[in-house]
Amino acid sequence: MAPRIARSGRLATTAAAMAAVLAAAACNGAAQNDGEVKIGFITALTGPVAFAGQTFANGTELAVEQLNQEGYLGQGRKIKLVKKEGAEKPAQAVDQAKQLSADQDVVGAVCCILSPVAGAVKPITSASKLPLDIYGATDEGLEDPPYVVRTTTMPQDANRALAQKVAQEAKPASVAYAVTQDNSGWVSQLKSFQQGFAGTPVKDLGTVNTLAAQTDFSGAAGQLMAKNPEAIVIAALQQSSISLIKALKSRGYKGLIVTAETIGSPGAFKAAGATLADVPFPVYFYAGKASPAGQKFAQSYKAKYGTDPDSYAAQGYMAGYTMATAVKNAGKEVTRESVTKALSGIKRIDGTIYGSVQFQDGQLRAPNSIVHITWTKDGRLAEWKPSGTGSA
């Protein structure tokens, strides 16, 4: 009987060892299983900013699809997006972040259009050591390496540059501002426009505050026009910006209206039409002046989705591309730890849709790709020039 007992012991030991190997493989995540690397993707296809959420999602999904087809990761690996609907509502997005954090096969995450949502999600992912790429939130300081990087092309830099161009070339004598006061991201964008005008001859006539839930902008338009400014700057969400522009023009305002990238999507022109003509806004991606990689992206996007990509689609694409680069650089063992190290270690990427970009303390910077554009009356995008200097 003794030999049988010894044999049984050896079998038990072997079984235990195999179980340990299988458990270890499971803990290493999907990268060790059929070459699939799982990346969490908290989307916003419903909710208050679904108009932007769809194009963000389109861009990210297109990047992953193309890179998978090209074999970008090498070693037979492909990225699989684990999509969760967050609707850009903090509580809902936090719940989805908790689910992704609990799934150890998920080695990275992409999220967030609104700053309050990003601010709510990042403590969840960071506590789980799940590397997060924020692709849309614009409040300053949200990046927090090594666990949180941001590929958002920061509108503050672009807003400052546009304000300076307006002051130098359009030369308005005065400017008034409108801002969504209960959104910290828009308050930050307001400040960047003001910084761009600071030190120029343009006189600041003050600011009119609006609210995120506001729908009637006739009063705000009246307050702005009462200041008699030659230029008005609007720092607000897309629908708020459109509504205020309509209210100003219906009241007969003839001065220059300047706003942010939110009105740059095809959906914005569909909603507002020629009302948006000659209203300048800054973007980091404009197909008419894009890099070779950017032009290829624009062609692929239009072929797949039927419309030209806007700046949100470009930001989504860049987020997917950057996360894929981190996975590629993570080495043989793709884990949260190795992806975190690779993602926070990216300092420069050449040949992107923005050209060459740099990362400073976890924040993407692409100042050389800033373009000032506007809608034309027939619904095209064109570079903006002040009236009298060849405006489109």
Side-chain angles (χ1 to χ4, degrees):
M1 295 293 292
R4 291 185 180 178
I5 293 173
R7 184 171 181 270
S8 297
R10 286 194 297 271
L11 289 173
T13 301
T14 301
M18 287 298 295
V21 170
L22 291 173
C27 289
N28 281 337
Q32 306 301 317
N33 183 17
D34 298 328
E36 199 172 69
V37 180
K38 291 185 178 180
I39 300 296
F41 184 26
I42 302 177
T43 62
L45 304 183
T46 63
V49 292
F51 66 89
Q54 184 64 67
T55 52
F56 272 110
N58 289 348
T60 302
E61 291 173 346
L62 179 60
V64 169
E65 177 183 303
Q66 289 183 338
L67 295 173
N68 282 344
Q69 290 175 348
E70 295 169 7
Y72 181 74
L73 301 184
Q75 303 181 59
R77 290 175 175 152
K78 291 185 177 181
I79 286 177
K80 178 181 179 180
L81 292 174
V82 181
K83 292 189 281 187
K84 302 284 187 179
E85 178 56 44
E88 285 308 296
K89 298 177 181 178
Q92 185 170 334
V94 163
D95 286 342
Q96 304 293 30
K98 288 179 179 177
Q99 292 180 33
L100 292 172
S101 296
D103 184 351
Q104 290 302 309
D105 283 353
V106 175
V107 298
V110 176
C111 176
C112 308
I113 298 171
L114 299 179
S115 296
V117 175
V121 164
K122 78 174 194 176
I124 305 302
T125 55
S126 294
S128 301
K129 298 184 178 180
L130 177 66
L132 173 68
D133 183 346
I134 297 173
Y135 63 7
T138 60
D139 210 358
E140 293 181 315
L142 286 171
E143 65 279 1
D144 189 13
Y147 294 114
V148 184
V149 302
R150 182 162 50 169
T151 49
T152 308
T153 43
M154 293 298 284
Q156 287 85 349
D157 295 338
N159 293 344
R160 280 187 284 267
L162 177 56
Q164 290 166 0
K165 180 172 183 175
V166 168
Q168 294 167 4
E169 298 185 16
K171 296 181 173 61
S174 57
V175 60
Y177 301 91
V179 64
T180 305
Q181 66 172 337
D182 55 344
N183 182 298
S184 59
W186 286 109
V187 172
S188 177
Q189 290 206 47
L190 167 72
K191 291 178 180 177
S192 64
F193 277 115
Q194 292 171 325
Q195 289 165 356
F197 280 112
T200 74
V202 183
K203 184 179 180 181
D204 184 341
L205 298 180
T207 302
V208 172
N209 293 320
T210 65
L211 299 173
Q214 189 168 329
T215 57
D216 183 354
F217 288 86
S218 57
Q223 293 177 55
L224 287 165
M225 291 180 67
K227 297 178 182 292
N228 197 30
E230 292 190 8
I232 292 173
V233 173
I234 300 172
L237 287 169
Q238 182 185 94
Q239 190 54 54
S240 298
S241 297
I242 289 173
S243 297
L244 184 50
I245 292 168
K246 285 182 175 180
L248 286 166
K249 290 194 173 183
S250 68
R251 284 173 170 259
Y253 182 70
K254 301 298 183 183
L256 177 63
I257 302 174
V258 178
T259 190
E261 65 182 6
T262 53
I263 68 165
S265 69
F269 190 85
K270 184 177 180 180
T275 303
L276 301 182
D278 300 322
V279 175
F281 56 94
V283 294
Y284 286 83
F285 182 83
Y286 170 55
K289 293 190 70 174
S291 67
Q295 292 176 11
K296 180 181 177 181
F297 157 65
Q299 293 166 1
S300 299
Y301 189 95
K302 189 165 188 176
K304 185 174 180 65
Y305 299 111
T307 63
D308 293 319
D310 59 16
S311 58
Y312 296 147
Q315 287 177 230
Y317 188 95
M318 193 64 200
Y321 185 87
T322 303
M323 187 60 76
T325 299
V327 171
K328 180 180 180 180
N329 295 344
K332 185 177 180 181
E333 299 291 330
V334 179
T335 63
R336 290 185 181 184
E337 182 179 4
S338 64
V339 173
T340 295
K341 183 177 180 180
L343 185 62
S344 62
I346 296 174
K347 302 303 178 187
R348 178 187 177 100
I349 307 179
D350 295 319
T352 79
I353 59 174
Y354 300 125
S356 295
V357 300
Q358 295 183 338
F359 285 79
Q360 299 174 358
D361 298 322
Q363 171 62 57
L364 181 146
R365 300 287 180 185
N368 294 331
S369 69
I370 296 172
V371 186
H372 307 121
I373 62 176
T374 186
W375 288 104
T376 63
K377 292 180 179 179
D378 59 355
R380 293 179 297 108
L381 287 172
E383 283 193 79
W384 174 76
K385 295 180 180 180
S387 299
T389 61
S391 179

